[in-house]
Amino acid sequence: MTKTLGIGILGCGNISAAYMRLSPLFRGIEVRACADINEAAAKARAEEFSLRAETVEGLLAADDIDIVVNLTVPNAHFEVSKKVLEAGKHVYSEKPFVLSVEEGQELARIAKAKGRRVGSAPDTFLGGSHQLARHLIDSDAVGKITSGTCFVQSPGMEMWHPNPDFFFQPGGGPILDLGPYYVSNLVQLLGPVKRVVAMCSKGSPERTITSQPRFGEKIPVGTPTTIHAVLQFHSGAQITYCASWDVWQHGHSNMELYGRNGTLHVPDPNFFGGEVRMTELGSFVNINGSWDHPFSKANDRTHANYRTAGLADMAQGILENRPHRCSLEFSLHVVDVMTAILASGEQGAFIDIKTTCDRPEALDPQAAQGLLA
């Protein structure tokens, strides 16, 4: 493969720097331009990363841009991605790429009509640690997974983010903001979800910002901030999932999966790396050194950080005419699960999941190396 697809970044906030900084790690993609409704923000990012600053309209019309990366706020993702597709370009969105199944189905209709693709973060499940967990499950190392637990709990975002408002409004919250990492990893490990049940609450009606430059400002809370859910998978596995921004400290593991012949301890799906631990029956076994995956190697200070891997896989999928792993169908199923959890919390009832998907193809060490420049 020699062709390179041109990438345009739409939305120049905090997360844009990571895409711009890490995209040169991968072959088949080149970030060429950026845009934002705040043109000063686009110009600043363009200067920082030696890109071309465009207006939003200019980016959508640019002949050298094949894929637009949608980094706008969550409640704008659908409308922006729709405009990108209607402009005849592929779109890769930050998570969650839509806020309802209906929005996702509309994007699927437009993408099919236009002959274009939709992809969505997160791509952390492509990390070496999570692909090792996938390999162990697929090779029956711990037997059939029957149950498990997931915990993602913290005090919230208002202590570090300069503009945390959207985290606490519909489209945010610990389910739609952090849930994509956890649910995506569960689905790639265990397959699609059949039904969910949940309880939801708000720890406080408002939050006080303690970051700069808005220290002391109070913001309203318009979405649940503590959610306890159970996910039943078509495979038969039952996973307890707790997500909260009302917890100062806890002692739970990020993810534990219980098989008939052992247990898998899976690291935080918010990151590409981390230690995977496994037991045979009740005793831990040493699996260190058995998995030499390129996306396990520390490349960002002490962390493995390969953000844009999903974008690069989508670009190569387009060029090679094969499915990409962070696909619309996969991401839409994850959205369906997350919105069903919130609906169950409101209604106090089990919610059947309307969509399904195939597990993304595993990304073994050789396939991962093939994404790198």
Side-chain angles (χ1 to χ4, degrees):
M1 185 187 72
T2 58
K3 184 173 172 56
T4 295
L5 296 186
I7 308 299
I9 303 290
L10 182 47
C12 294
N14 274 3
I15 196 63
S16 64
Y19 280 87
M20 295 169 183
R21 180 169 60 88
L22 294 166
S23 59
L25 293 173
F26 300 93
R27 68 186 182 94
I29 57 173
E30 180 182 48
V31 177
R32 294 171 177 165
C34 61
D36 195 289
I37 55 173
N38 178 355
E39 293 187 14
K43 289 177 181 177
R45 279 285 190 246
E47 182 176 344
E48 181 181 359
F49 290 96
S50 300
L51 306 174
R52 185 176 79 247
E54 289 273 11
T55 63
V56 173
E57 294 75 15
L59 187 72
L60 296 183
D63 290 337
D64 66 338
I65 300 300
D66 301 291
I67 304 174
V68 172
V69 179
N70 181 0
L71 303 184
T72 58
V73 295
N75 62 11
H77 282 172
F78 168 70
E79 290 296 339
V80 170
S81 292
K82 181 179 178 182
K83 288 180 181 178
V84 173
L85 291 171
E86 289 174 340
K89 300 188 185 302
H90 308 283
V91 62
Y92 183 91
S93 178
E94 252 305 321
K95 47 76 184 171
F97 82 113
V98 290
L99 298 181
S100 71
V101 171
E102 292 72 24
E103 288 179 346
Q105 291 171 335
E106 175 66 4
L107 290 186
R109 184 192 66 78
I110 299 170
K112 182 177 180 181
K114 292 286 187 177
R116 293 295 178 262
R117 295 205 192 190
V118 176
S120 175
D123 54 5
T124 47
F125 71 88
L126 300 176
S129 296
H130 307 298
Q131 289 301 307
L132 171 56
R134 168 76 176 261
H135 169 72
L136 293 169
I137 289 173
D138 289 353
S139 60
D140 205 35
V142 294
K144 179 181 174 62
I145 302 297
T146 59
S147 63
T149 59
C150 291
F151 289 90
V152 52
Q153 301 181 128
S154 74
M157 309 298 201
E158 69 271 31
M159 288 167 287
W160 62 269
H161 198 283
N163 293 294
D165 310 61
F166 73 91
F167 287 114
F168 298 100
Q169 297 306 313
I175 288 295
L176 289 173
D177 182 66
L178 294 175
Y181 299 104
Y182 283 76
V183 178
S184 293
N185 205 31
L186 286 171
V187 173
Q188 78 101 8
L189 292 172
L190 303 177
V193 179
K194 182 177 182 180
R195 64 175 182 164
V196 302
V197 65
M199 293 188 291
C200 304
S201 64
K202 299 175 188 175
S204 173
E206 63 182 15
R207 313 285 285 224
T208 302
I209 298 175
T210 56
S211 61
Q212 296 297 333
R214 297 170 59 193
F215 182 90
E217 184 178 337
K218 295 185 182 299
I219 54 177
V221 175
T223 193
T225 52
T226 291
I227 300 93
H228 289 190
V230 178
L231 286 62
Q232 182 182 36
F233 288 74
H234 283 279
S235 68
Q238 298 176 170
I239 306 295
T240 298
Y241 175 42
C242 299
S244 178
W245 286 341
D246 300 311
V247 175
W248 284 100
Q249 196 277 338
H250 69 91
H252 298 291
S253 301
N254 290 113
M255 183 178 289
E256 297 180 1
L257 299 177
Y258 310 130
R260 288 175 178 164
N261 301 319
T263 292
L264 273 183
H265 294 258
V266 182
D268 190 346
N270 197 2
F271 299 96
F272 286 82
E275 183 186 17
V276 179
R277 295 185 297 152
M278 185 184 81
T279 75
E280 289 178 354
L281 302 180
S283 300
F284 280 100
V285 294
N286 185 4
I287 56 173
N288 294 328
S290 63
W291 186 250
D292 185 20
H293 197 286
F295 293 174
S296 294
K297 302 184 190 318
N299 65 322
D300 193 4
R301 286 175 266 180
T302 60
H303 289 87
N305 185 0
Y306 294 88
R307 187 184 293 270
T308 69
L311 172 63
D313 178 66
M314 175 173 157
Q316 291 189 27
I318 293 167
L319 294 169
E320 298 169 1
N321 193 29
R322 63 161 175 81
H324 59 285
R325 292 170 173 86
C326 296
S327 68
L328 184 150
E329 294 77 13
F330 173 73
S331 302
L332 183 58
H333 182 66
V334 171
V335 168
D336 194 2
V337 172
M338 295 187 300
T339 55
I341 287 171
L342 294 173
S344 175
E346 291 178 0
Q347 300 172 20
F350 282 91
I351 302 289
D352 292 330
I353 304 303
K354 296 175 283 189
T355 63
T356 189
C357 68
D358 294 327
R359 290 199 299 166
E361 184 179 355
L363 189 75
D364 63 22
Q366 181 178 358
Q369 190 63 51
L371 294 179
L372 293 171

